[in-house]
Amino acid sequence: MNPASRPEAPAVPASGSSATRRAWARWRQPILLGAALLSGVLLGSNPFRPSDQNPDATARGYLKFKEILSYVDREYVDSVNAEELSDYAIKRLLERLDPHSVYIPAKEQQQAAAFLQSDYDGVGVEFNMFRDTVTVVAPLSGGPAEQAGMQPGDRVLAVDGQNVSGQHLSNDQVFARLRGPRGSAVRILLLRRGQSRPLIFTLTRNRIPNASVDVAALLPDGQTGYIKISRFAAGTYEEFKEALGRLRREGMTKLVLDLRGNPGGYLDRATRIADEFISGTRKIVYTDGKGDQYDTQTFSRVAGEFEDGPLVVIVDEGSASASEVLAGALQDQDRALVVGRRSFGKGLVQQPITLNDGSELRLTIARYYTPSGRSIQKPYRDGVAAYDRDIQERYARGEAFHADSVHFAPKLRFRTAHGRTVYGGGGIMPDVFVPRDSTTQNRYFARLQGSNLVREFALTLYQEHRTELEQITFEQYLRTFEVSAIQLQALAGRAAQEGVRTNAAALERCTPALRNQLKALVARSAYGKDAYYAVLREQDHELKQAMISLQEANSRLALGETNGQ
């Protein structure tokens, strides 16, 4: 999925440093990262029952809260919403526990669950909000929107007679209008470039795949497979198996598994994928909770599809939870080299508990450990605010740019199955460090991204060149299409009109990244999402290092070599 756009189902934002990502992290990160379930087990409704360890204290706290809420509801000078107050108190209570124990009100439950869905009912269109206008980025292949002839750049004015552009709607509000029961009709009014009168489309909603394997392709050398997984949803394992089998039939002998920006999901999907790579009966992950109720151990058990070929896994600071379980298992069992930067560090296990009113409590009940005994969870004793600042503080320390800025205490050293040194302390530290691209680390580039101007400009470029793009193949496009200096200046000029003051030095510094991004976004509109990722790969430093590491992966792992960090 193009991380720059939004389908009718919620999409996971790409890793980045924009204001959009920070806003997402404030309230969705606890929900999405807390979605790594113990094989999807539900406890059901859970009436009050005091703890066996300290029943008197638990009962007193329960009665005190009930008494205070009753007084506020009856006696407070102004009218109050007791249910909203209760929700607020619950959220603040859980913040004292850990960053990933969360309460999800009933009205938000469907949205939270959508992250783990593998399909949804809708019209099949990716859209973005440009200047408060719902703009089609791409109709999804085979969906009702594509079949009806909707095109990239179409501006959606109204859905079923309700205005959606110029109304300051959120993405979720637009989702709600486009989605609906399969077989139901939806009437869409849109304006197309070059036409003065709006067009009316009446579409019949259908089941739309919500893929979690973003791309699975054989790279130009004809032997290396590349699979990118954006999350571990209900159908991820089946998607992965199909992709892996297809690449094997096409001649794949080496594989790069890309988990960058993957915030997690269902644990059992991640462990089943690990089992495709790990032979015999070897440990994949174990959990340790209070007592032994939630203590589990998961081992490989099936004959996997790719147990011998060279394997590299790419992670970054956006890889979390189930992603870290998978990367940690492959690293500890010396099955793969891990390339990139230290992962997020989310190793707390949440148990979903459905409450009587349809809301849900996701309560931390255990910790994840890799086969060597490393806890994946990073420290959180300084509170939620400090925890949320951790990634920014890593940047401030230089950890994203210099391997020697990452320091580990001697007690955090562990050994893999073949004796290689790996590190605990939170997250998965890669075997081969790749610094973040520093050319994009400036305020000007961040403001361009945060204002959506790059994506909007790319869509304009596509519309201006659409006729000629339709006459060439993607391979020709890849060789010949270039974003010119004049076009970059036009982007800067448009940005200045929107309040993003031009910074010539910063623009020159990030020019290679901007050119690559614009070319990829144009390719997305013209040729589809596989083309988008193919263009991005041209300047993907982590992938280039992964390709180099593939050449030595099996020998390094067999000999137990470490990078000495």
Side-chain angles (χ1 to χ4, degrees):
M1 182 182 300
N2 178 359
S5 58
R6 297 288 185 271
E8 299 136 86
V12 180
S15 176
S17 58
S18 68
T20 300
R21 186 179 178 217
R22 289 195 298 271
W24 169 274
R26 277 198 297 270
W27 71 275
R28 289 196 181 182
Q29 192 178 74
I31 293 175
L32 301 188
L33 299 187
L37 315 179
L38 278 175
S39 302
V41 177
L42 295 174
L43 293 182
S45 60
N46 188 27
F48 172 71
R49 186 174 68 251
S51 164
D52 292 336
Q53 291 189 342
N54 197 354
D56 292 340
T58 306
R60 286 196 302 270
Y62 168 74
L63 293 173
K64 183 187 296 183
F65 178 79
K66 180 180 178 182
E67 185 178 14
I68 289 175
L69 187 61
S70 296
Y71 272 116
V72 171
D73 187 36
R74 290 196 316 268
E75 313 294 349
Y76 185 66
V77 62
D78 296 323
S79 297
V80 298
N81 185 320
E83 187 171 7
E84 286 185 1
L85 286 175
S86 179
D87 286 354
Y88 175 78
I90 292 168
K91 290 177 180 178
R92 293 301 299 271
L93 178 153
L94 292 174
E95 287 178 3
R96 294 294 300 271
L97 303 180
D98 67 80
H100 299 292
S101 288
V102 296
Y103 167 75
I104 305 172
K107 63 183 179 181
E108 299 175 13
Q109 178 57 28
Q110 183 178 4
Q111 181 183 343
F115 170 70
L116 298 177
Q117 293 173 357
S118 290
D119 49 27
Y120 61 94
D121 292 338
V123 300
V125 64
E126 291 180 12
F127 68 88
N128 218 327
M129 298 293 287
F130 296 139
R131 305 181 192 183
D132 201 26
T133 300
V134 180
T135 305
V136 175
V137 172
L140 300 182
S141 179
E146 183 192 56
Q147 293 171 359
M150 289 180 68
Q151 299 176 5
D154 287 347
R155 290 180 288 168
V156 180
L157 305 179
V159 177
D160 282 337
Q162 293 183 309
N163 291 338
V164 295
S165 288
Q167 303 299 306
H168 306 292
L169 299 180
S170 66
N171 283 330
D172 293 335
Q173 290 172 314
V174 179
F175 296 155
R177 285 165 171 74
L178 293 175
R179 292 180 295 188
R182 193 183 326 179
S184 61
V186 58
R187 192 167 180 265
I188 297 177
L189 180 71
L190 60 82
L191 187 63
R192 179 165 293 168
R193 179 186 175 93
Q195 299 191 16
S196 58
R197 301 184 64 180
L199 304 173
I200 297 175
F201 287 82
T202 300
L203 309 179
T204 301
R205 295 183 178 97
N206 205 345
R207 204 67 173 164
I208 307 297
N210 191 17
S212 52
V213 173
D214 281 346
V215 61
L218 203 62
L219 298 184
D221 67 0
Q223 295 180 320
T224 304
Y226 172 79
I227 297 178
K228 179 174 176 58
I229 303 176
S230 62
R231 69 195 190 283
F232 293 97
T236 299
Y237 175 71
E238 287 74 20
E239 291 178 47
F240 170 80
K241 278 283 286 183
E242 187 281 328
L244 189 66
R246 174 172 56 81
L247 293 177
R248 292 279 280 172
R249 292 190 295 274
E250 292 176 2
M252 180 191 77
T253 59
K254 301 173 285 187
L255 176 64
V256 175
L257 181 64
D258 190 348
L259 300 179
R260 286 174 292 182
N262 183 324
Y266 286 118
L267 173 63
D268 65 331
R269 274 60 169 188
T271 57
R272 290 176 72 187
I273 290 174
D275 203 350
E276 293 296 324
F277 299 120
I278 298 173
S279 62
T281 305
R282 291 190 281 170
K283 190 176 292 184
I284 294 175
V285 66
Y286 69 93
T287 63
D288 184 26
K290 185 185 292 183
D292 57 6
Q293 182 180 1
Y294 297 113
D295 294 353
T296 66
Q297 296 188 71
T298 303
F299 293 85
S300 58
R301 57 185 178 83
V302 302
E305 183 88 15
F306 194 70
E307 292 183 347
D308 299 314
L311 175 64
V312 167
V313 179
I314 312 178
V315 299
D316 65 7
E317 51 280 345
S319 308
S321 193
S323 297
E324 297 172 290
V325 168
L326 175 53
L330 296 175
Q331 186 181 50
D332 279 9
Q333 295 295 357
D334 291 301
R335 178 61 189 92
L337 283 179
V338 178
V339 169
R341 294 179 297 280
R342 181 160 68 100
S343 62
F344 182 87
K346 194 275 179 182
L348 297 175
V349 185
Q350 280 67 54
Q351 178 69 57
I353 303 169
T354 304
L355 306 179
N356 288 327
D357 66 347
S359 59
E360 186 174 279
L361 169 65
R362 291 184 180 175
L363 185 66
T364 296
I365 45 82
R367 289 181 172 82
Y368 291 126
Y369 292 86
T370 69
S372 68
R374 292 181 288 166
S375 171
I376 293 172
Q377 181 62 44
K378 63 185 176 183
Y380 54 87
R381 293 176 182 172
D382 293 334
V384 173
Y387 187 83
D388 289 342
R389 291 194 304 268
D390 174 67
I391 300 298
Q392 286 71 35
E393 290 175 355
R394 291 190 201 180
Y395 283 105
R397 293 193 299 268
E399 183 176 321
F401 307 103
H402 308 285
D404 56 7
S405 296
V406 186
H407 301 288
F408 297 97
K411 66 179 181 180
L412 298 178
R413 290 177 181 159
F414 293 80
R415 296 290 180 182
T416 67
H418 292 163
R420 293 187 306 125
T421 300
V422 290
Y423 298 91
I428 302 300
M429 185 64 192
D431 301 297
V432 180
F433 177 84
V434 182
R436 189 178 178 91
D437 181 6
S438 61
T439 63
T440 62
Q441 299 305 300
N442 61 72
R443 189 167 181 267
Y444 183 71
F445 185 84
R447 291 195 66 192
L448 286 178
Q449 304 299 318
S451 62
N452 239 353
L453 287 165
V454 178
R455 299 172 195 126
E456 182 184 14
F457 191 79
L459 200 51
T460 301
L461 277 181
Y462 162 72
Q463 292 173 313
E464 291 174 349
H465 294 273
R466 179 176 176 180
T467 301
E468 58 195 86
L469 290 173
E470 289 176 345
Q471 297 174 2
I472 63 175
T473 65
F474 171 66
E475 288 71 22
Q476 292 172 314
Y477 170 86
L478 200 59
R479 292 195 306 269
T480 62
F481 187 89
E482 296 293 339
V483 177
S484 69
I486 294 175
Q487 289 167 332
L488 285 179
Q489 288 299 325
L491 169 61
R494 183 173 298 182
Q497 293 174 356
E498 295 296 317
V500 182
R501 190 173 181 178
T502 303
N503 183 324
L507 177 61
E508 182 178 0
R509 181 174 175 79
C510 64
T511 286
L514 277 177
R515 280 185 165 143
N516 183 248
Q517 184 182 14
L518 287 168
K519 184 175 180 178
L521 289 168
V522 172
R524 174 68 185 97
S525 295
Y527 303 103
K529 71 174 184 178
D530 286 352
Y532 170 81
Y533 285 106
V535 174
L536 287 184
R537 288 197 292 268
E538 292 188 325
Q539 290 195 18
D540 190 333
H541 302 294
E542 288 96 339
L543 179 58
K544 288 179 179 179
Q545 180 58 63
M547 295 286 288
I548 295 171
S549 297
L550 273 174
Q551 308 308 316
E552 56 185 22
N554 279 8
S555 59
R556 281 187 61 176
L557 294 169
L559 295 173
E561 291 185 10
T562 182
N563 60 0
Q565 293 174 352

